[in-house]
């Protein structure tokens, strides 16, 4: 009963993690955030692996999921520090795009309540196709939205880590007990035929005339 409950809970948590990672991947693609895109891709693969291992009783796959979950929590803590500018980090840098573009978070211009306006400069000497983007009226600043996304990922990952360790221990106990009982059954099954063969009477040979 405990194994079934733990498995069902872990399957539910993996499903939530998968949906959350897919949702985050979409918005990171829209914002051309290449570093989070790579992280989300690995997260999706490992969560699917953990989900498969939980359903198919494969503890090794769940171990991989557990190890990656610890790394995933660390990555999301770094993202929180990045957007809150902790430890000398700055959200205005191109770190999330691997310094290959100047794109920022998609939520910066499309957050709840944000009004995006394109302002073209009127000063002479500036190219006509050059423009500024003005964003006003945002209910929540984009950095806090990114922090909320990372906090949700951390919460799901920590709960998933605990249940993954629990399910692994249950699987290992069941595997050990199965091997022990199976060994006794194999011995008791094979031993009687061997004794029967040894004690089988030999057909007497007919007398010669």
């Amino acid at each position: 009963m405990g194994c079934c409950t733990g498995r069902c809970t872990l399957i539910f948590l993996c499903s939530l993690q998968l949906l959350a990672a897919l949702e985050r991947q979409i918005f990171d693609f829209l914002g051309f955030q290449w570093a989070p895109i790579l992280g989300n891709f690995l997260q999706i693969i490992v969560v699917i692996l953990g989900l498969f291992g939980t359903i198919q009783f494969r503890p090794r796959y769940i171990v991989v999921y557990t190890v990656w979950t610890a790394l995933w929590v660390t990555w999301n803590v770094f993202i929180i520090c990045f957007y809150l500018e902790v430890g000398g980090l700055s959200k205005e840098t191109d770190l999330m795009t691997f310094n290959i573009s100047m794109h920022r978070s998609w939520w910066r211009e499309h957050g709840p309540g944000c009004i995006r306006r394109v302002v073209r400069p009127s000063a002479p000497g500036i190219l006509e196709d050059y423009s500024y983007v003005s964003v006003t009226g945002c209910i929540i600043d984009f950095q806090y939205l990114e922090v909320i996304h990372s906090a949700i990922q951390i919460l799901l990952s920590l709960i998933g880590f605990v249940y993954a360790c629990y399910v692994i221990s249950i699987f290992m106990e069941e595997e050990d007990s199965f091997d022990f009982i199976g060994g006794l059954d194999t011995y008791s099954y094979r031993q009687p035929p061997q004794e029967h063969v040894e004690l089988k009477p030999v057909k007497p040979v007919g007398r010669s005339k």
Side-chain angles (χ1 to χ4, degrees), residues 157-170:
S157 297
L158 290 177
I159 301 175
F161 180 86
V162 173
Y163 272 95
C165 294
Y166 172 72
V167 171
I168 290 173
S169 64
I170 295 297

Side-chain angles (χ1 to χ4, degrees), residues 18-109:
L18 188 60
L19 291 176
L22 290 172
E23 180 267 342
R24 194 177 187 182
Q25 184 77 311
I26 292 173
F27 292 111
D28 286 336
F29 261 117
L30 293 174
F32 300 98
Q33 304 294 291
W34 303 117
I37 286 172
L38 179 60
N40 294 331
F41 178 73
L42 295 176
Q43 168 72 354
I44 291 171
I45 292 178
V46 176
V47 169
I48 293 175
L49 191 66
L51 189 61
F52 176 78
T54 306
I55 296 174
Q56 297 294 327
F57 295 91
R58 303 291 180 87
R60 293 183 180 179
Y61 293 167
I62 306 178
V63 170
V64 175
Y65 164 82
T66 305
V67 174
W68 168 255
T69 298
L71 298 176
W72 184 243
V73 170
T74 305
W75 167 249
N76 282 277
V77 170
F78 170 77
I79 292 180
I80 292 176
C81 294
F82 175 80
Y83 282 106
L84 295 181
E85 298 184 336
V86 178
L89 297 172
S90 176
K91 62 179 179 295
E92 301 299 330
T93 60
D94 300 327
L95 184 62
M96 292 298 170
T97 60
F98 293 131
N99 295 321
I100 60 177
S101 68
M102 297 179 62
H103 291 89
R104 297 292 183 267
S105 171
W106 184 84
W107 297 106
R108 184 167 189 162
E109 300 177 6

